[in-house]
Amino acid sequence: MRIVIAGGHGQIALRLERLLAARGHEVAGIIRRAEQADDLRAAGAEPVLCDLESASAEEVAAHLQGADAAVFAAGAGPGSGAARKDTVDRAAAVLFADAAVRTGVRRHIVVSSMGADPAHQGDEIFDTYQRAKGEADAYVRNLGALDWTILRPGMLTDDAGTGLVRLEASTGRGPIPRDDVAATLAELLDTPATAGLTLELISGSTPVSVAVKSVAGN
């Protein structure tokens, strides 16, 4: 498959690019800064320069031409203010989904956040983030032209992955290594029967491939 990843220089995205390239997929990662390109090439991905905060749907769609799947893994990141939670975590996710519809790339995976909810209460930056992610998720779920899967990991860590997870509609809170999030995303991409599911992910006792097959009904 050819897979295009928004937020291609993110910590989860770089891990995912390595995994997908190792599986023989053709991977492209959308990045904002040219100096990030070498890191993507080292991960086995083609760097695509495009700022999702200023690009049009037509411009993003051009980068999705010929793709079999799209993954939204972009985020404003820690330290960003409320404005960028809206322009990246909500608006860029909406833009990327619209571009996928425009290009006919049906398979669409969103890396969301546990607790994402358009009605999330509170005035802190994290509250704004949860609303932005929730609004983006709701938008994607309403697009009938996409075979979407929304993945909501728990607290992300840089611990080495174990390959053992808990993947369900509702898992409760818990940590999850970024390695295992990337492994789960790779497996979801290879499992189209997970389309239409919103899933939470934390560390657990089930091998990633078994957990994905289980939620897919296999």
Side-chain angles (χ1 to χ4, degrees), residues 158-180:
D158 287 324
D159 297 339
T162 65
L164 300 172
V165 300
R166 183 176 174 192
L167 179 69
E168 298 169 14
S170 179
T171 61
R173 299 274 173 181
I176 180 77
R178 288 179 173 87
D179 287 351
D180 290 333

Side-chain angles (χ1 to χ4, degrees), residues 77-133:
S80 58
R84 293 202 69 230
K85 302 302 185 195
D86 183 68
T87 57
V88 179
D89 293 294
R90 184 196 61 79
V94 167
L95 174 72
F96 193 61
D98 284 343
V101 170
R102 187 180 291 258
T103 321
V105 181
R106 290 198 63 93
R107 188 69 176 117
H108 195 88
I109 296 182
V110 176
V111 183
S112 184
S113 171
M114 191 173 288
D117 182 351
H120 183 89
Q121 299 297 306
D123 300 318
E124 300 297 323
I125 293 294
F126 186 70
D127 300 320
T128 303
Y129 169 75
Q130 292 290 60
R131 283 193 293 274
K133 295 297 280 186

Side-chain angles (χ1 to χ4, degrees), residues 25-38:
H25 296 300
E26 183 184 340
V27 190
I30 295 176
I31 54 175
R32 280 194 310 129
R33 299 200 299 271
E35 59 267 28
Q36 298 170 333
D38 285 345

Side-chain angles (χ1 to χ4, degrees), residues 17 20 69 74 89 94 100-101 104 122-123 138 146 158 171-172 181 196 200 203 206:
E17 287 154 6
L20 294 175
D89 293 294
V94 167
V101 170
D123 300 318
L146 296 183
D158 287 324
T171 61
V181 177
E200 294 184 352
S203 291
T206 306

